[in-house]
C-alpha cells in the first residue's frame, strides 16, 4: 500500500493512503521504520494490518512521479507550459 506524508505536526507524522485514510506516527517511529526523516509529500510503500504500519520503505520513484503529476496539474490550472 502507498502512504504519503501529508504533513508533520510537532512530533507527529501524518500519513494518508490513496483512500485518504490517516495514519499517525511519531517522527522518531517514522524515522526508525523508514530509515530516513519524514518530509512532506514523500511516498512510502508500506505493509499495513488492522490500522498499524508493520513495515515501510521510502519509494523515490513513486515520490518523483507524484510530484511531477502534481506540478503538471498546477501548471495546467495556471496556464503555464
Amino acid at each position: 500500500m502507498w502512504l504519503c506524508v501529508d504533513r508533520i505536526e510537532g512530533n507527529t507524522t501524518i500519513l494518508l493512503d490513496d483512500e485518504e485514510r490517516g495514519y499517525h506516527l511519531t517522527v522518531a517511529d517514522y524515522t526508525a521504520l523508514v530509515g530516513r526523516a519524514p518530509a512532506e509529500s514523500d511516498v512510502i510503500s508500506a505493509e499495513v494490518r488492522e490500522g498499524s504500519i508493520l513495515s515501510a520503505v521510502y519509494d523515490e520513484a513513486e515520490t518523483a512521479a507524484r510530484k511531477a503529476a502534481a506540478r503538471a496539474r498546477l501548471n495546467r490550472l495556471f496556464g503555464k507550459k
Side-chain angles (χ1 to χ4, degrees):
M1 150 184 295
W2 299 112
L3 297 176
C4 181
V5 177
D6 182 60
R7 63 191 181 280
I8 301 162
E9 294 181 351
N11 191 38
T12 303
T13 306
I14 313 295
L15 301 114
L16 296 177
D17 67 13
D18 289 335
E19 281 78 46
E20 297 193 18
R21 286 182 294 247
Y23 300 84
H24 300 82
L25 290 172
T26 66
V27 170
D29 287 345
Y30 177 95
T31 302
L33 187 66
V34 178
R36 60 183 278 149
E40 288 185 8
S41 300
D42 277 358
V43 177
I44 60 173
S45 176
E47 180 185 356
V48 177
R49 189 173 305 133
E50 297 177 12
S52 295
I53 302 171
L54 304 178
S55 64
V57 175
Y58 172 72
D59 192 307
E60 185 175 358
E62 187 67 17
T63 298
R66 290 187 184 207
K67 284 182 180 181
R71 189 172 22 269
R73 282 191 302 275
L74 284 173
N75 287 342
R76 280 193 307 275
L77 284 171
F78 293 106
K80 295 181 180 179
K81 293 183 182 191

